Amino acid sequence: MKDYDVTVAFIPNMFLVDLVNNTDGVALVLDSIQRGKEWLGMDVLIFNSWHWWIRAGQGQPWNYIQIGNQKFKDMDRLDAFSKGMSTWAKWVDTNIDPAKTKVFFQGISPTHTE
């Protein structure tokens, strides 16, 4: 049996885009992926969209949604999801060399409540 020099890192970022603590609360920033620096240099990246677009009320860990300098108390979750996924896709296109890093995306995962 061959031995492989493999390191596996689990870097949770449940929303792919940034959650930022500000003086006026926690913002889900749909056009920012500052934590993406942690993903650089990997040979393989596997992303998952999770279930964040269904979070509402007490189930959401943010106080407002932010795009640029605009702040929204709430917005249509599918619209927010689309904006967040566009930010993620642009980040991948800008920061990942496909000759060095393989990127996989797992879409909707099954619910874990049943």
Side-chain angles (χ1 to χ4, degrees):
M1 182 166 111
K2 291 186 179 182
D3 289 327
Y4 296 96
D5 183 22
V6 174
T7 300
V8 176
F10 175 68
I11 306 171
N13 183 343
M14 297 180 351
F15 306 104
L16 299 178
V17 295
D18 292 332
L19 267 181
V20 178
N21 288 310
N22 292 319
T23 55
D24 50 350
V26 178
L28 177 65
V29 185
L30 296 180
D31 58 352
S32 176
I33 303 181
Q34 294 298 314
R35 289 194 59 204
K37 293 178 250 183
E38 298 175 34
W39 306 331
L40 298 174
M42 302 292 176
D43 295 322
V44 177
L45 290 168
I46 303 170
F47 294 95
N48 182 323
S49 65
W50 204 53
H51 294 285
W52 72 264
W53 63 90
I54 63 171
R55 300 290 184 221
Q58 301 245 348
Q60 70 186 34
W62 62 84
N63 301 101
Y64 60 93
I65 297 171
Q66 183 172 335
I67 304 171
N69 291 325
Q70 292 184 299
K71 296 177 182 180
F72 305 90
K73 185 63 181 164
D74 205 0
M75 77 170 28
D76 178 82
R77 288 297 184 267
L78 289 180
D79 189 34
F81 179 65
S82 176
K83 290 177 187 330
M85 293 308 302
S86 293
T87 298
W88 170 81
K90 288 176 190 171
W91 184 92
V92 169
D93 288 345
T94 301
N95 293 283
I96 300 300
D97 178 353
K100 295 180 181 177
T101 302
K102 300 295 179 211
V103 176
F104 296 91
F105 182 81
Q106 175 183 332
I108 300 169
S109 62
T111 61
H112 309 298
T113 57
E114 298 176 11

